[in-house]
Amino acid sequence: MRVLLIGPPGAGKGTQATRIAAHFDLARIATGDLLRREVASGSELGSTAKAYIDRGDLVPDELVIAMTRERVVKANSEGGYILDGYPRTLAQAEAAHRWAKARGVPFDLALFFEIGTEELLARLAGRAREEGRSDDTEDTVRHRLEVFRTRTYPLLDYYRRRGILVRIDAVGPVDAITERILAALHWHKANALAAGADRPEWAFGAAEG
Ligand code: ADP
């Protein structure tokens, strides 16, 4: 199964991605974690990325695409993945679409984590206290929400047109949200099997360019 998670910072993608990946035995590919690892290792990519991350800006597409590509291609041949934090721009979505299409393995579902701004700000303030992430300060958080709205939000339309967008209410107890996601994924699995298709063509809609 190939699933991607779209949601603003603080929506709980990381927590849920870890749980879903364990449940279905899938690889979890989290670009934020990968980038922070690059920063910690002092690599060239890491030192370039750090300035963007600390400002709350997106790391340039070509860097993120290059970093993610091999992992997605590998996971494609090993039973699937949960993409957590990728794609965040239309250019990244197009790249992922090309990798998948070249191998005949389209995304199954794009899960959109729905949550209001006030709830996000409260959660991120809590995370800043607990984890001390350099990009969780209040100004940076507001900027990241704005970046989400302008750069990532258009992906909803992109995946809706492909018929694979599912909205998940991301407010409530963590376990309840996991249940909602598992229900959506099991429903999808059952329907894909019932249709006798493990390569659902409908994942590539008529709107495809
Ligand atoms: P959050 O979802 O809370 O913003 P992440 O750990 O997913 O946290 O991302 C942290 C930062 O890493 C982002 O603000 C951005 O600078 C960078 N980043 C992560 N994924 C991407 C991506 N796909 N494209 C560009 N930048 C990214």
PDB file of all heavy atoms in Angstrom, residues 3-18 20 82-84 110-116 120 123 148 153 156 165-171 174 177-178 181:
ATOM      1  N   VAL A   3       0.663   5.267   0.678  1.00  0.00           N
ATOM      2  CA  VAL A   3      -0.203   6.281   1.257  1.00  0.00           C
ATOM      3  C   VAL A   3       0.615   7.528   1.535  1.00  0.00           C
ATOM      4  O   VAL A   3       1.767   7.426   1.966  1.00  0.00           O
ATOM      5  CB  VAL A   3      -0.786   5.765   2.595  1.00  0.00           C
ATOM      6  CG1 VAL A   3      -1.650   6.827   3.259  1.00  0.00           C
ATOM      7  CG2 VAL A   3      -1.585   4.493   2.370  1.00  0.00           C
ATOM      8  N   LEU A   4       0.041   8.691   1.271  1.00  0.00           N
ATOM      9  CA  LEU A   4       0.750   9.901   1.658  1.00  0.00           C
ATOM     10  C   LEU A   4      -0.124  10.734   2.576  1.00  0.00           C
ATOM     11  O   LEU A   4      -1.355  10.707   2.502  1.00  0.00           O
ATOM     12  CB  LEU A   4       1.204  10.681   0.429  1.00  0.00           C
ATOM     13  CG  LEU A   4       0.158  11.161  -0.540  1.00  0.00           C
ATOM     14  CD1 LEU A   4      -0.225  12.580  -0.230  1.00  0.00           C
ATOM     15  CD2 LEU A   4       0.718  11.051  -1.936  1.00  0.00           C
ATOM     16  N   LEU A   5       0.544  11.439   3.468  1.00  0.00           N
ATOM     17  CA  LEU A   5      -0.145  12.231   4.473  1.00  0.00           C
ATOM     18  C   LEU A   5       0.092  13.707   4.193  1.00  0.00           C
ATOM     19  O   LEU A   5       1.229  14.136   4.039  1.00  0.00           O
ATOM     20  CB  LEU A   5       0.385  11.902   5.872  1.00  0.00           C
ATOM     21  CG  LEU A   5       0.424  10.421   6.254  1.00  0.00           C
ATOM     22  CD1 LEU A   5       0.871  10.273   7.714  1.00  0.00           C
ATOM     23  CD2 LEU A   5      -0.927   9.755   6.059  1.00  0.00           C
ATOM     24  N   ILE A   6      -1.005  14.448   4.131  1.00  0.00           N
ATOM     25  CA  ILE A   6      -0.911  15.887   3.936  1.00  0.00           C
ATOM     26  C   ILE A   6      -1.564  16.543   5.144  1.00  0.00           C
ATOM     27  O   ILE A   6      -2.667  16.155   5.540  1.00  0.00           O
ATOM     28  CB  ILE A   6      -1.672  16.347   2.680  1.00  0.00           C
ATOM     29  CG1 ILE A   6      -1.214  15.570   1.451  1.00  0.00           C
ATOM     30  CG2 ILE A   6      -1.500  17.846   2.460  1.00  0.00           C
ATOM     31  CD1 ILE A   6      -2.083  15.834   0.229  1.00  0.00           C
ATOM     32  N   GLY A   7      -0.898  17.512   5.722  1.00  0.00           N
ATOM     33  CA  GLY A   7      -1.514  18.212   6.842  1.00  0.00           C
ATOM     34  C   GLY A   7      -0.587  19.300   7.324  1.00  0.00           C
ATOM     35  O   GLY A   7       0.622  19.226   7.111  1.00  0.00           O
ATOM     36  N   PRO A   8      -1.150  20.314   7.963  1.00  0.00           N
ATOM     37  CA  PRO A   8      -0.313  21.407   8.458  1.00  0.00           C
ATOM     38  C   PRO A   8       0.615  20.928   9.566  1.00  0.00           C
ATOM     39  O   PRO A   8       0.388  19.869  10.150  1.00  0.00           O
ATOM     40  CB  PRO A   8      -1.346  22.410   9.002  1.00  0.00           C
ATOM     41  CG  PRO A   8      -2.565  21.602   9.270  1.00  0.00           C
ATOM     42  CD  PRO A   8      -2.572  20.490   8.286  1.00  0.00           C
ATOM     43  N   PRO A   9       1.662  21.704   9.869  1.00  0.00           N
ATOM     44  CA  PRO A   9       2.537  21.344  10.984  1.00  0.00           C
ATOM     45  C   PRO A   9       1.729  21.233  12.263  1.00  0.00           C
ATOM     46  O   PRO A   9       0.849  22.035  12.524  1.00  0.00           O
ATOM     47  CB  PRO A   9       3.539  22.516  11.064  1.00  0.00           C
ATOM     48  CG  PRO A   9       2.990  23.593  10.200  1.00  0.00           C
ATOM     49  CD  PRO A   9       2.089  22.948   9.211  1.00  0.00           C
ATOM     50  N   GLY A  10       2.017  20.193  13.033  1.00  0.00           N
ATOM     51  CA  GLY A  10       1.317  20.004  14.304  1.00  0.00           C
ATOM     52  C   GLY A  10       0.045  19.183  14.185  1.00  0.00           C
ATOM     53  O   GLY A  10      -0.628  18.924  15.172  1.00  0.00           O
ATOM     54  N   ALA A  11      -0.281  18.716  12.974  1.00  0.00           N
ATOM     55  CA  ALA A  11      -1.532  17.973  12.782  1.00  0.00           C
ATOM     56  C   ALA A  11      -1.436  16.533  13.284  1.00  0.00           C
ATOM     57  O   ALA A  11      -2.442  15.840  13.366  1.00  0.00           O
ATOM     58  CB  ALA A  11      -1.943  17.988  11.316  1.00  0.00           C
ATOM     59  N   GLY A  12      -0.216  16.087  13.589  1.00  0.00           N
ATOM     60  CA  GLY A  12      -0.060  14.728  14.127  1.00  0.00           C
ATOM     61  C   GLY A  12       0.313  13.688  13.089  1.00  0.00           C
ATOM     62  O   GLY A  12       0.170  12.488  13.328  1.00  0.00           O
ATOM     63  N   LYS A  13       0.834  14.137  11.958  1.00  0.00           N
ATOM     64  CA  LYS A  13       1.190  13.196  10.885  1.00  0.00           C
ATOM     65  C   LYS A  13       2.245  12.185  11.351  1.00  0.00           C
ATOM     66  O   LYS A  13       2.138  11.003  11.061  1.00  0.00           O
ATOM     67  CB  LYS A  13       1.735  13.948   9.658  1.00  0.00           C
ATOM     68  CG  LYS A  13       0.754  14.912   9.022  1.00  0.00           C
ATOM     69  CD  LYS A  13       1.338  15.536   7.753  1.00  0.00           C
ATOM     70  CE  LYS A  13       2.600  16.339   7.988  1.00  0.00           C
ATOM     71  NZ  LYS A  13       2.402  17.577   8.778  1.00  0.00           N
ATOM     72  N   GLY A  14       3.265  12.690  12.036  1.00  0.00           N
ATOM     73  CA  GLY A  14       4.372  11.817  12.446  1.00  0.00           C
ATOM     74  C   GLY A  14       3.907  10.690  13.354  1.00  0.00           C
ATOM     75  O   GLY A  14       4.247   9.518  13.136  1.00  0.00           O
ATOM     76  N   THR A  15       3.105  11.020  14.345  1.00  0.00           N
ATOM     77  CA  THR A  15       2.586  10.023  15.290  1.00  0.00           C
ATOM     78  C   THR A  15       1.761   8.981  14.553  1.00  0.00           C
ATOM     79  O   THR A  15       1.941   7.773  14.729  1.00  0.00           O
ATOM     80  CB  THR A  15       1.675  10.719  16.333  1.00  0.00           C
ATOM     81  OG1 THR A  15       2.420  11.780  16.928  1.00  0.00           O
ATOM     82  CG2 THR A  15       1.171   9.752  17.373  1.00  0.00           C
ATOM     83  N   GLN A  16       0.858   9.458  13.711  1.00  0.00           N
ATOM     84  CA  GLN A  16      -0.034   8.530  13.010  1.00  0.00           C
ATOM     85  C   GLN A  16       0.734   7.719  11.965  1.00  0.00           C
ATOM     86  O   GLN A  16       0.465   6.528  11.790  1.00  0.00           O
ATOM     87  CB  GLN A  16      -1.196   9.290  12.366  1.00  0.00           C
ATOM     88  CG  GLN A  16      -2.086  10.037  13.370  1.00  0.00           C
ATOM     89  CD  GLN A  16      -2.774   9.120  14.372  1.00  0.00           C
ATOM     90  OE1 GLN A  16      -2.929   7.918  14.150  1.00  0.00           O
ATOM     91  NE2 GLN A  16      -3.201   9.685  15.493  1.00  0.00           N
ATOM     92  N   ALA A  17       1.685   8.355  11.292  1.00  0.00           N
ATOM     93  CA  ALA A  17       2.462   7.639  10.268  1.00  0.00           C
ATOM     94  C   ALA A  17       3.190   6.457  10.894  1.00  0.00           C
ATOM     95  O   ALA A  17       3.232   5.362  10.320  1.00  0.00           O
ATOM     96  CB  ALA A  17       3.454   8.583   9.604  1.00  0.00           C
ATOM     97  N   THR A  18       3.747   6.667  12.077  1.00  0.00           N
ATOM     98  CA  THR A  18       4.479   5.592  12.752  1.00  0.00           C
ATOM     99  C   THR A  18       3.537   4.430  13.058  1.00  0.00           C
ATOM    100  O   THR A  18       3.873   3.261  12.846  1.00  0.00           O
ATOM    101  CB  THR A  18       5.095   6.142  14.062  1.00  0.00           C
ATOM    102  OG1 THR A  18       5.878   7.283  13.730  1.00  0.00           O
ATOM    103  CG2 THR A  18       5.952   5.113  14.745  1.00  0.00           C
ATOM    104  N   ILE A  20       0.565   3.678  11.613  1.00  0.00           N
ATOM    105  CA  ILE A  20       0.028   3.011  10.412  1.00  0.00           C
ATOM    106  C   ILE A  20       1.101   2.147   9.768  1.00  0.00           C
ATOM    107  O   ILE A  20       0.839   1.037   9.310  1.00  0.00           O
ATOM    108  CB  ILE A  20      -0.456   4.049   9.380  1.00  0.00           C
ATOM    109  CG1 ILE A  20      -1.480   4.996   9.996  1.00  0.00           C
ATOM    110  CG2 ILE A  20      -1.086   3.364   8.183  1.00  0.00           C
ATOM    111  CD1 ILE A  20      -1.616   6.266   9.191  1.00  0.00           C
ATOM    112  N   ILE A  82       4.477   4.765   3.769  1.00  0.00           N
ATOM    113  CA  ILE A  82       3.717   5.925   4.234  1.00  0.00           C
ATOM    114  C   ILE A  82       4.637   7.117   4.027  1.00  0.00           C
ATOM    115  O   ILE A  82       5.735   7.164   4.586  1.00  0.00           O
ATOM    116  CB  ILE A  82       3.406   5.845   5.750  1.00  0.00           C
ATOM    117  CG1 ILE A  82       2.673   4.568   6.107  1.00  0.00           C
ATOM    118  CG2 ILE A  82       2.637   7.087   6.196  1.00  0.00           C
ATOM    119  CD1 ILE A  82       1.238   4.551   5.712  1.00  0.00           C
ATOM    120  N   LEU A  83       4.224   8.060   3.231  1.00  0.00           N
ATOM    121  CA  LEU A  83       5.012   9.278   3.028  1.00  0.00           C
ATOM    122  C   LEU A  83       4.507  10.339   4.000  1.00  0.00           C
ATOM    123  O   LEU A  83       3.350  10.743   3.937  1.00  0.00           O
ATOM    124  CB  LEU A  83       4.835   9.772   1.596  1.00  0.00           C
ATOM    125  CG  LEU A  83       5.848   9.316   0.569  1.00  0.00           C
ATOM    126  CD1 LEU A  83       5.493   9.908  -0.794  1.00  0.00           C
ATOM    127  CD2 LEU A  83       7.252   9.718   0.954  1.00  0.00           C
ATOM    128  N   ASP A  84       5.400  10.772   4.868  1.00  0.00           N
ATOM    129  CA  ASP A  84       5.020  11.711   5.927  1.00  0.00           C
ATOM    130  C   ASP A  84       5.771  13.022   5.697  1.00  0.00           C
ATOM    131  O   ASP A  84       6.971  13.102   5.933  1.00  0.00           O
ATOM    132  CB  ASP A  84       5.385  11.060   7.273  1.00  0.00           C
ATOM    133  CG  ASP A  84       5.336  12.027   8.444  1.00  0.00           C
ATOM    134  OD1 ASP A  84       4.902  13.176   8.270  1.00  0.00           O
ATOM    135  OD2 ASP A  84       5.739  11.602   9.544  1.00  0.00           O
ATOM    136  N   ALA A 110      -4.344   9.601  -0.536  1.00  0.00           N
ATOM    137  CA  ALA A 110      -3.745  10.786   0.077  1.00  0.00           C
ATOM    138  C   ALA A 110      -4.657  11.172   1.236  1.00  0.00           C
ATOM    139  O   ALA A 110      -5.832  11.480   1.031  1.00  0.00           O
ATOM    140  CB  ALA A 110      -3.654  11.921  -0.938  1.00  0.00           C
ATOM    141  N   LEU A 111      -4.137  11.114   2.436  1.00  0.00           N
ATOM    142  CA  LEU A 111      -4.949  11.434   3.617  1.00  0.00           C
ATOM    143  C   LEU A 111      -4.684  12.872   4.027  1.00  0.00           C
ATOM    144  O   LEU A 111      -3.542  13.255   4.266  1.00  0.00           O
ATOM    145  CB  LEU A 111      -4.591  10.517   4.792  1.00  0.00           C
ATOM    146  CG  LEU A 111      -4.692   9.015   4.560  1.00  0.00           C
ATOM    147  CD1 LEU A 111      -4.335   8.278   5.853  1.00  0.00           C
ATOM    148  CD2 LEU A 111      -6.087   8.621   4.099  1.00  0.00           C
ATOM    149  N   PHE A 112      -5.748  13.640   4.094  1.00  0.00           N
ATOM    150  CA  PHE A 112      -5.606  15.038   4.518  1.00  0.00           C
ATOM    151  C   PHE A 112      -6.052  15.183   5.963  1.00  0.00           C
ATOM    152  O   PHE A 112      -7.197  14.895   6.308  1.00  0.00           O
ATOM    153  CB  PHE A 112      -6.433  15.954   3.610  1.00  0.00           C
ATOM    154  CG  PHE A 112      -6.464  17.374   4.102  1.00  0.00           C
ATOM    155  CD1 PHE A 112      -5.281  18.046   4.391  1.00  0.00           C
ATOM    156  CD2 PHE A 112      -7.664  18.041   4.283  1.00  0.00           C
ATOM    157  CE1 PHE A 112      -5.297  19.355   4.859  1.00  0.00           C
ATOM    158  CE2 PHE A 112      -7.688  19.357   4.742  1.00  0.00           C
ATOM    159  CZ  PHE A 112      -6.504  20.005   5.037  1.00  0.00           C
ATOM    160  N   PHE A 113      -5.135  15.628   6.814  1.00  0.00           N
ATOM    161  CA  PHE A 113      -5.417  15.814   8.243  1.00  0.00           C
ATOM    162  C   PHE A 113      -6.070  17.178   8.452  1.00  0.00           C
ATOM    163  O   PHE A 113      -5.421  18.208   8.321  1.00  0.00           O
ATOM    164  CB  PHE A 113      -4.112  15.748   9.049  1.00  0.00           C
ATOM    165  CG  PHE A 113      -3.578  14.366   9.264  1.00  0.00           C
ATOM    166  CD1 PHE A 113      -3.509  13.461   8.221  1.00  0.00           C
ATOM    167  CD2 PHE A 113      -3.131  13.963  10.513  1.00  0.00           C
ATOM    168  CE1 PHE A 113      -3.012  12.185   8.415  1.00  0.00           C
ATOM    169  CE2 PHE A 113      -2.632  12.689  10.725  1.00  0.00           C
ATOM    170  CZ  PHE A 113      -2.566  11.796   9.680  1.00  0.00           C
ATOM    171  N   GLU A 114      -7.349  17.149   8.791  1.00  0.00           N
ATOM    172  CA  GLU A 114      -8.091  18.402   8.977  1.00  0.00           C
ATOM    173  C   GLU A 114      -8.064  18.852  10.426  1.00  0.00           C
ATOM    174  O   GLU A 114      -8.439  18.082  11.321  1.00  0.00           O
ATOM    175  CB  GLU A 114      -9.558  18.192   8.581  1.00  0.00           C
ATOM    176  CG  GLU A 114      -9.788  18.367   7.111  1.00  0.00           C
ATOM    177  CD  GLU A 114     -11.266  18.345   6.789  1.00  0.00           C
ATOM    178  OE1 GLU A 114     -11.938  17.393   7.213  1.00  0.00           O
ATOM    179  OE2 GLU A 114     -11.732  19.264   6.116  1.00  0.00           O
ATOM    180  N   ILE A 115      -7.649  20.096  10.640  1.00  0.00           N
ATOM    181  CA  ILE A 115      -7.529  20.609  12.001  1.00  0.00           C
ATOM    182  C   ILE A 115      -7.477  22.134  11.952  1.00  0.00           C
ATOM    183  O   ILE A 115      -6.916  22.709  11.010  1.00  0.00           O
ATOM    184  CB  ILE A 115      -6.271  20.006  12.665  1.00  0.00           C
ATOM    185  CG1 ILE A 115      -6.082  20.527  14.084  1.00  0.00           C
ATOM    186  CG2 ILE A 115      -5.009  20.234  11.844  1.00  0.00           C
ATOM    187  CD1 ILE A 115      -5.045  19.745  14.880  1.00  0.00           C
ATOM    188  N   GLY A 116      -8.071  22.792  12.952  1.00  0.00           N
ATOM    189  CA  GLY A 116      -8.122  24.256  12.954  1.00  0.00           C
ATOM    190  C   GLY A 116      -6.830  24.902  13.455  1.00  0.00           C
ATOM    191  O   GLY A 116      -6.035  24.281  14.153  1.00  0.00           O
ATOM    192  N   LEU A 120      -3.818  23.958  16.363  1.00  0.00           N
ATOM    193  CA  LEU A 120      -2.427  23.750  15.921  1.00  0.00           C
ATOM    194  C   LEU A 120      -1.452  24.599  16.722  1.00  0.00           C
ATOM    195  O   LEU A 120      -0.415  24.117  17.170  1.00  0.00           O
ATOM    196  CB  LEU A 120      -2.280  24.136  14.445  1.00  0.00           C
ATOM    197  CG  LEU A 120      -2.891  23.185  13.442  1.00  0.00           C
ATOM    198  CD1 LEU A 120      -2.746  23.761  12.046  1.00  0.00           C
ATOM    199  CD2 LEU A 120      -2.220  21.830  13.530  1.00  0.00           C
ATOM    200  N   ARG A 123      -0.958  23.119  20.134  1.00  0.00           N
ATOM    201  CA  ARG A 123      -0.154  21.890  20.097  1.00  0.00           C
ATOM    202  C   ARG A 123       1.317  22.206  19.867  1.00  0.00           C
ATOM    203  O   ARG A 123       2.195  21.619  20.486  1.00  0.00           O
ATOM    204  CB  ARG A 123      -0.610  20.996  18.943  1.00  0.00           C
ATOM    205  CG  ARG A 123      -1.889  20.282  19.199  1.00  0.00           C
ATOM    206  CD  ARG A 123      -2.052  19.258  18.099  1.00  0.00           C
ATOM    207  NE  ARG A 123      -3.384  18.710  18.074  1.00  0.00           N
ATOM    208  CZ  ARG A 123      -3.764  17.754  17.238  1.00  0.00           C
ATOM    209  NH1 ARG A 123      -2.901  17.267  16.371  1.00  0.00           N
ATOM    210  NH2 ARG A 123      -4.990  17.287  17.262  1.00  0.00           N
ATOM    211  N   PHE A 148       2.218  26.435   4.515  1.00  0.00           N
ATOM    212  CA  PHE A 148       1.318  25.308   4.243  1.00  0.00           C
ATOM    213  C   PHE A 148       0.137  25.763   3.385  1.00  0.00           C
ATOM    214  O   PHE A 148      -0.215  25.138   2.396  1.00  0.00           O
ATOM    215  CB  PHE A 148       0.803  24.691   5.551  1.00  0.00           C
ATOM    216  CG  PHE A 148      -0.189  23.589   5.298  1.00  0.00           C
ATOM    217  CD1 PHE A 148       0.235  22.324   4.928  1.00  0.00           C
ATOM    218  CD2 PHE A 148      -1.555  23.825   5.379  1.00  0.00           C
ATOM    219  CE1 PHE A 148      -0.671  21.315   4.644  1.00  0.00           C
ATOM    220  CE2 PHE A 148      -2.470  22.824   5.100  1.00  0.00           C
ATOM    221  CZ  PHE A 148      -2.033  21.569   4.733  1.00  0.00           C
ATOM    222  N   TYR A 153      -1.422  23.497   0.341  1.00  0.00           N
ATOM    223  CA  TYR A 153      -2.870  23.367   0.228  1.00  0.00           C
ATOM    224  C   TYR A 153      -3.344  23.015  -1.195  1.00  0.00           C
ATOM    225  O   TYR A 153      -4.272  22.214  -1.363  1.00  0.00           O
ATOM    226  CB  TYR A 153      -3.545  24.644   0.739  1.00  0.00           C
ATOM    227  CG  TYR A 153      -4.942  24.420   1.240  1.00  0.00           C
ATOM    228  CD1 TYR A 153      -5.174  23.823   2.477  1.00  0.00           C
ATOM    229  CD2 TYR A 153      -6.036  24.772   0.458  1.00  0.00           C
ATOM    230  CE1 TYR A 153      -6.462  23.588   2.922  1.00  0.00           C
ATOM    231  CE2 TYR A 153      -7.322  24.544   0.905  1.00  0.00           C
ATOM    232  CZ  TYR A 153      -7.526  23.953   2.130  1.00  0.00           C
ATOM    233  OH  TYR A 153      -8.796  23.714   2.565  1.00  0.00           O
ATOM    234  N   LEU A 156      -4.418  19.458  -2.294  1.00  0.00           N
ATOM    235  CA  LEU A 156      -5.719  18.835  -2.031  1.00  0.00           C
ATOM    236  C   LEU A 156      -6.506  18.713  -3.323  1.00  0.00           C
ATOM    237  O   LEU A 156      -7.095  17.678  -3.620  1.00  0.00           O
ATOM    238  CB  LEU A 156      -6.516  19.650  -1.007  1.00  0.00           C
ATOM    239  CG  LEU A 156      -5.898  19.742   0.376  1.00  0.00           C
ATOM    240  CD1 LEU A 156      -6.905  20.335   1.347  1.00  0.00           C
ATOM    241  CD2 LEU A 156      -5.452  18.379   0.851  1.00  0.00           C
ATOM    242  N   LEU A 165      -8.216  11.436  -2.685  1.00  0.00           N
ATOM    243  CA  LEU A 165      -8.144  12.251  -1.464  1.00  0.00           C
ATOM    244  C   LEU A 165      -9.161  11.771  -0.426  1.00  0.00           C
ATOM    245  O   LEU A 165     -10.327  11.574  -0.738  1.00  0.00           O
ATOM    246  CB  LEU A 165      -8.417  13.718  -1.787  1.00  0.00           C
ATOM    247  CG  LEU A 165      -8.239  14.659  -0.594  1.00  0.00           C
ATOM    248  CD1 LEU A 165      -6.761  14.835  -0.274  1.00  0.00           C
ATOM    249  CD2 LEU A 165      -8.883  16.005  -0.868  1.00  0.00           C
ATOM    250  N   VAL A 166      -8.686  11.563   0.775  1.00  0.00           N
ATOM    251  CA  VAL A 166      -9.569  11.204   1.887  1.00  0.00           C
ATOM    252  C   VAL A 166      -9.301  12.180   3.026  1.00  0.00           C
ATOM    253  O   VAL A 166      -8.151  12.408   3.388  1.00  0.00           O
ATOM    254  CB  VAL A 166      -9.290   9.763   2.380  1.00  0.00           C
ATOM    255  CG1 VAL A 166     -10.089   9.458   3.636  1.00  0.00           C
ATOM    256  CG2 VAL A 166      -9.617   8.760   1.296  1.00  0.00           C
ATOM    257  N   ARG A 167     -10.361  12.755   3.576  1.00  0.00           N
ATOM    258  CA  ARG A 167     -10.188  13.681   4.693  1.00  0.00           C
ATOM    259  C   ARG A 167     -10.278  12.934   6.007  1.00  0.00           C
ATOM    260  O   ARG A 167     -11.160  12.099   6.181  1.00  0.00           O
ATOM    261  CB  ARG A 167     -11.293  14.748   4.658  1.00  0.00           C
ATOM    262  CG  ARG A 167     -11.150  15.692   3.517  1.00  0.00           C
ATOM    263  CD  ARG A 167     -12.410  16.519   3.330  1.00  0.00           C
ATOM    264  NE  ARG A 167     -12.200  17.442   2.227  1.00  0.00           N
ATOM    265  CZ  ARG A 167     -11.649  18.645   2.354  1.00  0.00           C
ATOM    266  NH1 ARG A 167     -11.278  19.090   3.535  1.00  0.00           N
ATOM    267  NH2 ARG A 167     -11.469  19.407   1.298  1.00  0.00           N
ATOM    268  N   ILE A 168      -9.361  13.256   6.894  1.00  0.00           N
ATOM    269  CA  ILE A 168      -9.365  12.642   8.219  1.00  0.00           C
ATOM    270  C   ILE A 168      -9.526  13.753   9.249  1.00  0.00           C
ATOM    271  O   ILE A 168      -8.740  14.709   9.253  1.00  0.00           O
ATOM    272  CB  ILE A 168      -8.030  11.898   8.491  1.00  0.00           C
ATOM    273  CG1 ILE A 168      -7.779  10.795   7.458  1.00  0.00           C
ATOM    274  CG2 ILE A 168      -7.989  11.351   9.925  1.00  0.00           C
ATOM    275  CD1 ILE A 168      -8.696   9.591   7.563  1.00  0.00           C
ATOM    276  N   ASP A 169     -10.519  13.630  10.107  1.00  0.00           N
ATOM    277  CA  ASP A 169     -10.678  14.588  11.198  1.00  0.00           C
ATOM    278  C   ASP A 169      -9.532  14.344  12.184  1.00  0.00           C
ATOM    279  O   ASP A 169      -9.470  13.300  12.826  1.00  0.00           O
ATOM    280  CB  ASP A 169     -12.042  14.360  11.858  1.00  0.00           C
ATOM    281  CG  ASP A 169     -12.252  15.265  13.060  1.00  0.00           C
ATOM    282  OD1 ASP A 169     -11.361  16.083  13.372  1.00  0.00           O
ATOM    283  OD2 ASP A 169     -13.317  15.139  13.692  1.00  0.00           O
ATOM    284  N   ALA A 170      -8.605  15.317  12.270  1.00  0.00           N
ATOM    285  CA  ALA A 170      -7.386  15.129  13.061  1.00  0.00           C
ATOM    286  C   ALA A 170      -7.497  15.727  14.457  1.00  0.00           C
ATOM    287  O   ALA A 170      -6.488  15.968  15.111  1.00  0.00           O
ATOM    288  CB  ALA A 170      -6.184  15.712  12.313  1.00  0.00           C
ATOM    289  N   VAL A 171      -8.728  15.979  14.904  1.00  0.00           N
ATOM    290  CA  VAL A 171      -8.943  16.504  16.249  1.00  0.00           C
ATOM    291  C   VAL A 171      -9.555  15.399  17.096  1.00  0.00           C
ATOM    292  O   VAL A 171     -10.508  14.746  16.677  1.00  0.00           O
ATOM    293  CB  VAL A 171      -9.895  17.720  16.223  1.00  0.00           C
ATOM    294  CG1 VAL A 171     -10.061  18.292  17.625  1.00  0.00           C
ATOM    295  CG2 VAL A 171      -9.347  18.785  15.281  1.00  0.00           C
ATOM    296  N   VAL A 174      -5.536  10.587  20.239  1.00  0.00           N
ATOM    297  CA  VAL A 174      -4.632   9.985  19.247  1.00  0.00           C
ATOM    298  C   VAL A 174      -5.163   8.629  18.762  1.00  0.00           C
ATOM    299  O   VAL A 174      -5.172   8.340  17.560  1.00  0.00           O
ATOM    300  CB  VAL A 174      -3.212   9.833  19.856  1.00  0.00           C
ATOM    301  CG1 VAL A 174      -2.299   9.073  18.909  1.00  0.00           C
ATOM    302  CG2 VAL A 174      -2.618  11.205  20.157  1.00  0.00           C
ATOM    303  N   ILE A 177      -8.021   8.892  16.294  1.00  0.00           N
ATOM    304  CA  ILE A 177      -7.585   9.310  14.956  1.00  0.00           C
ATOM    305  C   ILE A 177      -6.955   8.126  14.223  1.00  0.00           C
ATOM    306  O   ILE A 177      -7.207   7.908  13.037  1.00  0.00           O
ATOM    307  CB  ILE A 177      -6.632  10.518  15.063  1.00  0.00           C
ATOM    308  CG1 ILE A 177      -7.410  11.688  15.689  1.00  0.00           C
ATOM    309  CG2 ILE A 177      -6.084  10.902  13.690  1.00  0.00           C
ATOM    310  CD1 ILE A 177      -6.545  12.803  16.209  1.00  0.00           C
ATOM    311  N   THR A 178      -6.173   7.330  14.952  1.00  0.00           N
ATOM    312  CA  THR A 178      -5.604   6.116  14.341  1.00  0.00           C
ATOM    313  C   THR A 178      -6.733   5.229  13.814  1.00  0.00           C
ATOM    314  O   THR A 178      -6.657   4.711  12.694  1.00  0.00           O
ATOM    315  CB  THR A 178      -4.767   5.330  15.372  1.00  0.00           C
ATOM    316  OG1 THR A 178      -3.798   6.201  15.949  1.00  0.00           O
ATOM    317  CG2 THR A 178      -4.064   4.150  14.722  1.00  0.00           C
ATOM    318  N   ILE A 181      -8.160   6.495  10.578  1.00  0.00           N
ATOM    319  CA  ILE A 181      -7.263   6.259   9.439  1.00  0.00           C
ATOM    320  C   ILE A 181      -7.294   4.784   9.044  1.00  0.00           C
ATOM    321  O   ILE A 181      -7.403   4.444   7.856  1.00  0.00           O
ATOM    322  CB  ILE A 181      -5.832   6.692   9.793  1.00  0.00           C
ATOM    323  CG1 ILE A 181      -5.802   8.205  10.018  1.00  0.00           C
ATOM    324  CG2 ILE A 181      -4.854   6.277   8.706  1.00  0.00           C
ATOM    325  CD1 ILE A 181      -4.476   8.712  10.559  1.00  0.00           C
TER     326      ILE A 181
END
